[in-house]
Each structure stands twice: as C-alpha cells, then as structure tokens.
Amino acid sequence: MLVITYELNDAEKEKTYNSPSDFVAAQFKEVPDLPDYYHVIKATVDGKELSLDDKTISGLFNYLNK
C-alpha cells in the first residue's frame, strides 16, 4: 500500500493507493489524481518511508516510475 501525505492550502492531506503502480497509472491519466507541484510531506510503501530527493508529486512519480 502506498500512502502519500501532502500539503494543500497549509493543511495536511492523505491519499492512499493499493500499490505504487496504481499511483503511477493514476498520474498517467489525462487529468492526474494529484497535481505535480503538490509538496509531499512523506510517502510510505507498506509502512516504510521513501527517501525522496524531490519532495513533490512529480518527484514521487519519477521515483516510483524507474
């Protein structure tokens, strides 16, 4: 399970996907689930936090789409 905690209008929001590949597929849609520029506070896969150099949705997408 992928859990993304991101910032929107000075508030923390959370979005959950069954797998990282579900997130990648959702971002490939014509209108992606989350805008690329959103700031990622943290992202975890099966409870383990990912170490992101680029803490944006775009950076998370690039990290998971290797």
Side-chain angles (χ1 to χ4, degrees):
M1 182 179 304
L2 170 66
V3 179
I4 304 166
T5 305
Y6 61 96
E7 186 175 357
L8 178 63
N9 299 328
D10 296 325
E12 283 189 17
K13 303 286 184 178
E14 192 172 274
K15 182 86 173 165
T16 303
Y17 294 89
N18 287 330
S19 70
S21 61
D22 287 348
F23 164 75
V24 170
Q27 291 302 108
F28 271 124
K29 294 189 300 190
E30 186 173 335
V31 178
D33 278 3
L34 299 168
D36 287 341
Y37 60 88
Y38 280 8
H39 174 74
V40 174
I41 297 168
K42 79 175 181 179
T44 60
V45 175
D46 297 331
K48 296 179 183 173
E49 189 167 349
L50 302 177
S51 178
L52 300 173
D53 292 329
D54 179 356
K55 291 191 172 252
T56 62
I57 293 296
S58 177
L60 175 60
F61 173 84
N62 291 333
Y63 180 90
L64 295 172
N65 196 37
K66 295 182 208 178

